[in-house]
Amino acid sequence: MNRNMNEEENKSQEEIDAMDAVHEGEGMQDDNAAVESRDEEMERLRASSESAEKRVLQAQAEAENFRKRMRRDFEDQLRYAAVPLVNDLLQVRDNLHRAIEAAGTASESDGLRDGVAMVAKQLDDTLAKYQIREIPAAGELFDPNYHEAISQMPSDEHAAGTVAHVAVTGFQMHDRVIRPSQVIVSTGPASETPAN
């Protein structure tokens, strides 16, 4: 009976040892699998990092190309912004040349005057189309923002400080003065003008 017990104990011990060996083998396989998965993970992360770096470089290159293209477009827009105005003014120029040709063949000056008046109106309409308008000056109170005084003179018709005569008509585009009106400013009636 002792012998049977010893055999059972030996078998139990052998079974335990076999089980331990199996578990140790499984543990080694788990460690190998873990090592392999770490290497694979490192490789995957490295590839992911390289891919992200390529995407970042590509995005930077695209952004730089976009900036260059926008700068070129902006410069072209500035350079050719006046093309519509020039086209309209060229039509006015053509009509002025037609009026000059008509003056050479016409015997009456009334027709020439009417033709030139029509061309002048066409030019004014073209300027108005681009928000370019004449600065009112005659009889207005002198304003250095819109008027450039070239002289002063006494005037019975205009109060002191008002524009008595417009030498050169001024223009503004939208709210910006393109060319101020060159004016002669009244000093008031001649009798009120102090003697020098």
Side-chain angles (χ1 to χ4, degrees):
M1 184 142 168
N2 275 346
R3 190 173 182 208
N4 281 343
M5 267 179 100
N6 280 342
E7 281 180 16
E8 282 182 22
E9 283 180 8
N10 284 341
K11 281 185 183 176
S12 294
Q13 189 61 38
E14 285 176 9
E15 287 175 358
I16 291 173
D17 289 342
M19 293 289 275
D20 285 344
V22 167
H23 287 298
E24 283 180 19
E26 286 177 359
M28 289 185 89
Q29 287 176 355
D30 286 343
D31 286 345
N32 287 340
V35 169
E36 287 177 6
S37 68
R38 284 185 197 142
D39 289 342
E40 289 172 356
E41 184 179 6
M42 288 293 287
E43 194 59 39
R44 182 179 51 81
L45 290 174
R46 187 175 293 119
S48 175
S49 172
E50 289 172 1
S51 173
E53 193 172 320
K54 285 179 186 177
R55 286 194 308 268
V56 167
L57 290 174
Q58 185 177 9
Q60 287 174 340
E62 287 175 2
E64 184 61 28
N65 289 339
F66 178 76
R67 278 192 292 274
K68 287 179 182 176
R69 188 170 49 253
M70 291 302 291
R71 187 177 16 230
R72 266 194 317 270
D73 290 348
F74 179 72
E75 289 170 358
D76 283 348
Q77 285 178 355
L78 284 178
R79 182 177 295 141
Y80 300 110
V83 168
L85 174 63
V86 170
N87 284 330
D88 287 344
L89 289 176
L90 289 176
Q91 291 176 9
V92 174
R93 181 184 181 280
D94 293 342
N95 288 335
L96 280 172
H97 281 280
R98 288 185 192 107
I100 291 169
E101 288 174 12
T105 60
S107 58
E108 295 182 21
S109 62
D110 288 342
L112 175 62
R113 187 184 61 218
D114 291 344
V116 172
M118 286 174 45
V119 173
K121 183 179 180 337
Q122 182 185 14
L123 179 60
D124 288 342
D125 291 345
T126 299
L127 292 174
K129 180 179 173 181
Y130 293 94
Q131 305 300 317
I132 300 169
R133 61 187 183 279
E134 187 176 319
I135 296 173
E140 298 285 325
L141 189 61
F142 176 77
D143 183 350
N145 295 315
Y146 297 102
H147 308 130
E148 179 182 342
I150 56 173
S151 178
Q152 289 184 331
M153 69 176 209
S155 171
D156 292 333
E157 298 173 12
H158 301 294
T162 60
V163 175
H165 176 72
V166 179
V168 177
T169 304
F171 288 89
Q172 67 184 50
M173 182 176 201
H174 301 287
D175 293 331
R176 182 180 293 174
V177 173
I178 296 172
R179 179 178 78 185
S181 296
Q182 293 182 354
V183 298
I184 297 173
V185 181
S186 171
T187 57
S191 60
E192 294 178 15
T193 306
N196 287 340

